[in-house]
Amino acid sequence: RKNRSHKHEKITKKLLSVNDCHVDEIELDEENYQVHIHIKPLKRVRHRCSICGKKCTVYDHRPEVSTWRHLDFCGFQTFLHAALCRIECSEHGVKTEAVPWASYGSRFTNLFESSVTFFVVRMNKVDVARVMNVNWRTVGSIIKRRKRYVGTR
């Protein structure tokens, strides 16, 4: 049984393209066509500053669970959920710890934002919003964030 659940977790992580995490639970909300996947970062990537990536000390544990919109899966809106710590970085102060699947300050996964960016160069914002099932203003916010991200590399 343990082998089978490990295999299911491995398949789920592969399908979602999220590494460096452990899948705790998957909830299917058939009424709202949503999948909620509860994950947590692996120890080797935990407690890192979301600005510089340095390993830091834990400041406290956030009471609320963070949520990121992921790419739709088989017609279901997909959301990743994780309980995170706040860390204390010697350079940047107290910040929410970094996660490997999303950029600092974003409520969307990197894969979701990359898909929006891919579509934006091929169609207008309104069509991208319709395809990705988000508001057109959200498309604009993602593009601004991605431009900043690309500009720092």
Side-chain angles (χ1 to χ4, degrees):
R1 181 156 237 207
K2 185 179 178 185
N3 236 359
R4 199 161 96 189
S5 68
H6 179 69
K7 185 178 180 181
H8 290 165
E9 178 180 18
K10 200 172 176 182
I11 290 168
T12 302
K13 286 167 43 174
K14 186 70 115 176
L15 289 172
L16 294 170
S17 292
V18 291
N19 299 311
D20 296 329
C21 71
H22 172 71
V23 177
D24 279 340
E25 182 182 0
I26 300 172
E27 298 173 43
L28 184 63
D29 178 353
E30 293 182 68
E31 188 177 313
N32 295 306
Y33 292 94
Q34 295 179 345
V35 178
H36 297 272
I37 302 169
H38 299 266
I39 58 179
K40 65 180 167 189
L42 296 177
K43 285 182 182 174
R44 70 171 183 255
V45 296
R46 297 246 19 212
H47 312 309
R48 297 195 177 272
C49 176
S50 48
I51 307 295
C52 66
K54 277 193 263 179
K55 192 92 167 150
C56 300
T57 57
V58 173
Y59 181 78
D60 65 9
H61 296 272
R62 296 176 64 231
E64 68 276 354
V65 172
S66 296
T67 300
W68 298 266
R69 173 77 187 278
H70 193 56
L71 292 176
D72 292 354
F73 187 72
C74 296
F76 284 76
Q77 284 186 328
T78 304
F79 298 90
L80 304 182
H81 305 277
L84 302 176
C85 297
R86 291 192 312 160
I87 53 86
E88 190 164 19
C89 176
S90 57
E91 189 176 340
H92 300 104
V94 177
K95 298 283 179 203
T96 300
E97 69 179 306
V99 293
W101 55 83
S103 300
Y104 175 66
S106 178
R107 291 288 141 226
F108 300 91
T109 64
N110 291 327
L111 197 54
F112 188 95
E113 290 193 353
S114 293
S115 295
V116 167
T117 305
F118 174 83
F119 286 130
V120 157
V121 297
R122 289 160 179 79
M123 59 179 93
N124 67 54
K125 274 192 341 186
V126 173
D127 289 340
V128 173
R130 194 172 301 122
V131 167
M132 299 302 291
N133 199 16
V134 293
N135 187 292
W136 67 271
R137 287 184 187 95
T138 301
V139 173
S141 298
I142 289 171
I143 296 310
K144 280 182 191 172
R145 189 170 30 258
R146 283 303 190 177
K147 278 184 181 176
R148 281 195 309 266
Y149 176 75
V150 170
T152 60
R153 297 210 164 241

